[in-house]
């Protein structure tokens, strides 16, 4: 485990470091260290088409990398930052296209974790950071998770992540009309974004399941054991027959993923539970969908669970 000074030194030397944020742990590199950026993709086995989010420690710093910063940018940033919201904005040439996978936009976020903010302040340069796990697998929400996923990486330990799932991503596109689009749901809700911008001339583009942000694939956040999403009313004793019927595969021992009813707490529990249950002596994990999970506050959690699942019944 690193001290802040040690983390700063490693980053200075073009190395990568795992950092805490309120969403999940990130695998960070200074945006002005191209070798370190490439190392992120290598360590994570992340495809180069999947852009990285750039983490800043103030709104002022974010503005240094944006091609334009309108009242709309300012409104969302001032209302939701520091916090679990990423703004995809038109970038300037201070941000390398290796970070943005060739796009002329960049995802910017001002996270809410004092250790990481202090680290970015000390360095004076933003940190590009995706989640600190292998591509497509369950994201880490504790330093221990990072150690299990990426044993070779040094960690700045900031305790357990308070939000527990990745940020809401919203893009702002300026043209003849301004378009604001939800690219990934997160704990800051789309309704909150729309409310915040209610006084502005904006065209809102609601996302459907099929969009959208590069890298936001159908299969993601996958635990080590297969996850079965149970959307119909099935007795537990019936599960194994159902699965066998559909998938012609013998699954005998199941373990249930149980989350708190309150979305804010469920989000915090989700990844740790998926990791823990994956270590049990079972063939699969199952998760029973309930009516209250159709509410907006559960949307980002259901998004992750759906993508993490391999079977649906
Ligand atoms: P994470 O999964 O937290 O590493 O967040 C990275 C995700 O942010 C990517 O998979 C993209 O979906 C999204 N993203 C980052 N930068 C951009 C961008 N410039 N345009 C669209 N989506 C982006
Ligand atoms: Mg990730």
């Amino acid at each position: 485990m690193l001290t802040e000074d040690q983390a700063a030194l490693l980053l200075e030397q073009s190395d990568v470091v795992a950092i805490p944020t309120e969403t999940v742990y990130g695998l960070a590199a200074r945006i002005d260290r191209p070798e370190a950026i490439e190392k992120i993709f290598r360590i994570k086995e992340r495809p180069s088409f999947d852009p990285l989010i750039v983490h800043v420690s103030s709104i002022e710093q974010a503005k240094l990398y944006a091609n334009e910063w309108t009242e709309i940018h300012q409104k969302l940033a001032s209302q939701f930052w520091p916090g679990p919201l990423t703004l995809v904005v038109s970038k300037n040439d201070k941000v390398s296209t290796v970070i943005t996978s060739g796009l002329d936009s960049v995802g910017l976020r001002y996270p809410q974790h004092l250790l990481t903010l202090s680290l970015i302040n000390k360095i004076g340069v933003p940190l590009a950071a995706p989640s600190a796990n292998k591509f497509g697998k369950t994201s880490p929400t504790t330093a221990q998770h990072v150690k299990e996923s990426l044993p070779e990486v040094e960690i700045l330990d900031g305790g357990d992540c308070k939000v527990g799932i990745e940020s809401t991503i919203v893009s702002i596109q300026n043209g003849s009309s301004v378009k604001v689009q939800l690219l990934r749901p997160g704990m800051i809700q789309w309704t909150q974004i729309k409310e915040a911008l209610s006084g502005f001339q904006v065209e809102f583009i609601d996302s459907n399941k099929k969009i959208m942000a590069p890298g936001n694939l159908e299969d993601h956040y996958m635990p080590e054991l297969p996850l079965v999403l149970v959307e119909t009313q099935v007795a537990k004793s019936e599960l194994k027959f159902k699965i066998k019927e559909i998938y012609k595969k013998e699954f005998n021992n199941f373990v249930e993923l149980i989350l708190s009813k309150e979305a804010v707490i469920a989000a915090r529990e989700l990844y740790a539970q998926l990791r823990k249950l994956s270590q049990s002596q079972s063939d699969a994990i199952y998760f029973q969908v309930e009516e209250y999970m159709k509410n907006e506050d559960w949307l980002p959690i259901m998004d992750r669970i759906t993508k993490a699942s391999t079977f649906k019944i």
Side-chain angles (χ1 to χ4, degrees):
M1 300 290 167
L2 299 168
T3 63
E4 190 186 312
D5 283 339
Q6 290 169 328
L9 185 62
L10 283 173
L11 292 166
E12 157 77 31
Q13 295 165 339
S14 290
D15 211 334
V16 296
V17 163
I19 55 163
T21 80
E22 78 279 35
T23 58
V24 302
Y25 271 76
L27 182 62
R30 286 172 56 137
I31 63 163
D32 59 351
R33 295 289 189 276
E35 274 170 57
I37 300 289
E38 278 165 25
K39 195 166 173 186
I40 290 179
F41 285 93
R42 218 168 41 240
I43 292 179
K44 273 189 67 88
E45 298 164 21
R46 183 178 177 106
S48 57
F49 62 74
D50 194 359
L52 307 180
I53 291 172
V54 170
H55 295 72
V56 296
S57 58
S58 67
I59 296 181
E60 286 314 305
Q61 192 177 41
K63 287 161 82 168
L64 297 176
Y65 301 93
N67 196 20
E68 57 193 347
W69 197 264
T70 66
E71 283 178 13
I72 291 171
H73 295 77
Q74 185 61 24
K75 172 70 183 169
L76 292 180
S78 58
Q79 184 159 336
F80 298 108
W81 284 356
L85 175 67
T86 297
L87 295 177
V88 172
V89 308
S90 174
K91 78 171 190 70
N92 63 26
D93 57 15
K94 292 200 198 81
V95 185
S96 140
T97 48
V98 180
I99 293 172
T100 66
S101 302
L103 297 169
D104 56 13
S105 59
V106 60
L108 295 171
R109 189 165 95 82
Y110 172 5
Q112 191 172 44
H113 194 294
L114 293 178
L115 253 186
T116 286
L117 292 178
S118 166
L119 177 64
I120 299 171
N121 277 332
K122 174 175 293 244
I123 302 169
V125 175
L127 297 175
S131 52
N133 54 284
K134 293 282 184 194
F135 180 73
K137 297 295 173 87
T138 306
S139 302
T141 54
T142 70
Q144 181 60 30
H145 293 165
V146 178
K147 215 169 161 183
E148 288 160 13
S149 301
L150 306 174
E152 71 274 41
V153 170
E154 301 264 21
I155 306 165
L156 183 63
D157 187 348
D160 297 359
C161 300
K162 297 279 182 291
V163 174
I165 60 175
E166 299 78 0
S167 58
T168 306
I169 306 181
V170 167
S171 74
I172 306 171
Q173 287 156 266
N174 282 344
S176 49
S177 72
V178 183
K179 294 190 173 73
V180 175
Q181 182 173 17
L182 177 66
L183 300 185
R184 176 173 74 188
M187 295 309 282
I188 291 176
Q189 297 170 13
W190 185 224
T191 317
Q192 289 175 273
I193 301 287
K194 285 175 156 176
E195 264 168 32
L197 297 180
S198 61
F200 295 85
Q201 273 291 339
V202 169
E203 184 188 336
F204 293 107
I205 305 174
D206 294 7
S207 55
N208 57 46
K209 278 195 190 137
K210 282 282 169 244
I211 28 162
M212 31 188 198
N216 205 353
L217 307 175
E218 290 298 314
D219 288 336
H220 213 142
Y221 319 113
M222 308 272 278
E224 296 301 320
L225 278 185
L227 174 64
V228 183
L229 191 60
V230 184
E231 290 178 321
T232 48
Q233 286 303 323
V234 184
K236 198 174 160 185
S237 54
E238 291 289 306
L239 268 178
K240 61 177 157 192
F241 302 112
K242 282 271 178 203
I243 291 178
K244 189 165 182 198
E245 217 174 273
I246 302 170
Y247 297 101
K248 317 272 180 258
K249 233 177 158 178
E250 199 82 53
F251 280 10
N252 292 308
N253 301 310
F254 296 94
V255 57
E256 185 174 6
L257 168 63
I258 298 176
L259 299 171
S260 299
K261 201 165 173 179
E262 201 179 320
V264 173
I265 302 173
R268 205 179 290 159
E269 295 166 343
L270 176 63
Y271 292 146
Q273 281 301 319
L274 285 177
R275 281 170 182 266
K276 192 171 143 220
L277 298 177
S278 288
Q279 286 168 7
S280 67
Q281 299 297 319
S282 303
D283 299 317
I285 305 168
Y286 73 98
F287 182 74
Q288 180 85 54
V289 180
E290 306 285 349
E291 205 47 41
Y292 63 83
M293 296 172 189
K294 293 175 181 149
N295 294 337
E296 192 184 359
D297 56 350
W298 267 80
L299 183 78
I301 304 168
M302 290 313 298
D303 169 73
R304 305 311 188 271
I305 291 178
T306 306
K307 288 181 178 146
S309 66
T310 19
F311 300 98
K312 218 182 244 190
I313 58 175

